[in-house]
Amino acid sequence: SAMRYSLLLPGKRLRPVLLLAAYHLLREDWQQAVPFACALEMIHTYSLIHDDLPALDNDKLRRGQPTNHLVYGENMAILAGDGLLNLAYETMLSAPICETEPANALRAAREIACRSGVRGMIAGQTLDVKLEGSEPSRENVRYIHLHKTADLLTAPVVAGLMLAGACEEQLDAGRRYGQGIGLAFQIIDDLLDIQGDVQRLGKETGMDAQRGKLTWPAVCGIEQSRKDALSAVAQAVKAMQLFGSKGDFLAELAQKSLVRSH
């Protein structure tokens, strides 16, 4: 119940969309990629459940609803996060594509594991926690944003391309796209924490400053942050040019990240 509660809360489902859209750049049979798309949402949801715990961010709202630990208790929230992470790998490794195209499936699963693991998302989260309250530097903020956020937005794009049998040039374009949209997404997230509306965001605002978090606006200011987000989106859009008109959807998705309100 605790796993289902957080997994099925209303949300953008951005990571599954990115994986399916990346796969669709090269192949039409997108249904083959659905188990991997579901697994990514499980990994993202587990990270949110654990992020919201009192030992980390101690948040009260997630997607407009009480956070998991407030509904089910801290012990069950920890187990729900653990369960979702493991179920994600079960789901990927049990997918039919593992039987028909095992090399592509294993490459994709490894990409997701690496980018959500100790050299990816968790590395960014670790530095984010470790440096709370310290003097922000652009280098440290960029490292945190690239790993804590951008890695789990790059993983679906690259994994989707791997599942579809992409060549190295196409994978490199996917990496550049993911990094661009990931940086832009987190910079805008930092700005929304300052200027956003609680009702539209579905979570509390002003929390980064209270916790002494390292954010892009804290280093660069609001105006420069908007310019840097624009530059990151331009990188993502340019990367999609390799795929011609097939890349239009992902290019448009990157541009919309600049004007999101939640």
Side-chain angles (χ1 to χ4, degrees):
S1 295
M3 290 163 65
R4 185 182 298 272
Y5 173 79
S6 291
L7 187 63
L8 300 184
L9 283 176
K12 293 181 284 295
R13 307 290 187 261
L14 177 59
R15 289 152 193 84
V17 167
L18 286 171
L19 188 140
L20 294 174
Y23 184 90
H24 196 59
L25 288 170
L26 302 179
R27 289 173 57 166
E28 300 295 326
D29 59 333
W30 55 268
Q31 292 90 344
Q32 285 222 80
V34 168
F36 286 77
C38 294
L40 266 160
E41 188 65 14
M42 292 176 198
I43 292 171
H44 177 54
T45 302
Y46 117 76
S47 74
L48 298 180
I49 293 173
H50 284 186
D51 269 355
D52 291 338
L53 287 166
L56 289 172
D57 290 348
N58 196 24
D59 278 320
K60 306 295 187 292
L61 284 176
R62 175 65 67 180
R63 294 174 173 173
Q65 299 297 320
T67 46
N68 196 291
H69 66 274
L70 291 182
V71 178
Y72 292 94
E74 287 182 48
N75 52 2
M76 199 56 66
I78 293 169
L79 293 171
D82 294 345
L84 282 167
L85 177 61
N86 284 279
L87 184 59
Y89 293 112
E90 289 177 41
T91 301
M92 285 188 285
L93 295 173
S94 302
I97 197 171
C98 286
E99 298 292 331
T100 59
E101 299 177 64
N104 289 349
L106 285 173
R107 286 184 77 200
R110 184 180 186 277
E111 179 73 15
I112 291 169
C114 290
R115 288 194 181 271
S116 58
V118 295
R119 293 179 181 83
M121 177 181 69
I122 292 172
Q125 288 176 321
T126 301
L127 199 63
D128 186 40
V129 169
K130 190 72 175 172
L131 295 182
E132 275 186 17
S134 67
E135 187 67 27
S137 73
R138 189 182 178 96
E139 181 184 3
N140 284 336
V141 174
R142 181 176 171 81
Y143 182 92
I144 291 169
H145 284 19
L146 281 176
H147 293 290
K148 182 181 177 181
T149 302
D151 268 340
L152 211 57
L153 289 169
T154 304
V157 181
V158 177
L161 288 168
M162 285 176 169
L163 287 170
C167 68
E168 189 52 43
E169 183 186 17
Q170 292 164 332
L171 292 175
D172 184 59
R175 293 183 193 104
R176 286 183 281 112
Y177 176 89
Q179 185 182 89
I181 195 175
L183 275 177
F185 193 91
Q186 187 57 55
I187 293 170
I188 296 299
D189 211 52
D190 290 349
L191 290 168
L192 287 171
D193 188 70
I194 299 170
Q195 302 173 319
D197 177 76
V198 175
Q199 296 301 319
R200 294 178 72 87
L201 283 171
K203 60 182 180 180
E204 298 167 282
T205 56
M207 302 306 292
D208 288 343
Q210 283 187 38
R211 298 178 185 125
K213 292 279 188 183
L214 272 62
T215 67
W216 211 273
V219 174
C220 303
I222 289 176
E223 244 354 273
Q224 186 60 45
S225 292
R226 294 196 183 281
K227 291 177 183 176
D228 290 341
L230 191 64
S231 176
V233 165
Q235 171 186 313
V237 171
K238 185 177 180 182
M240 282 299 106
Q241 290 175 0
L242 178 68
F243 301 97
S245 60
K246 280 265 193 178
D248 288 350
F249 172 78
L250 283 170
E252 185 180 346
L253 189 64
Q255 289 167 331
K256 284 185 175 178
S257 69
L258 290 170
V259 293
R260 67 188 181 93
S261 58
H262 62 284

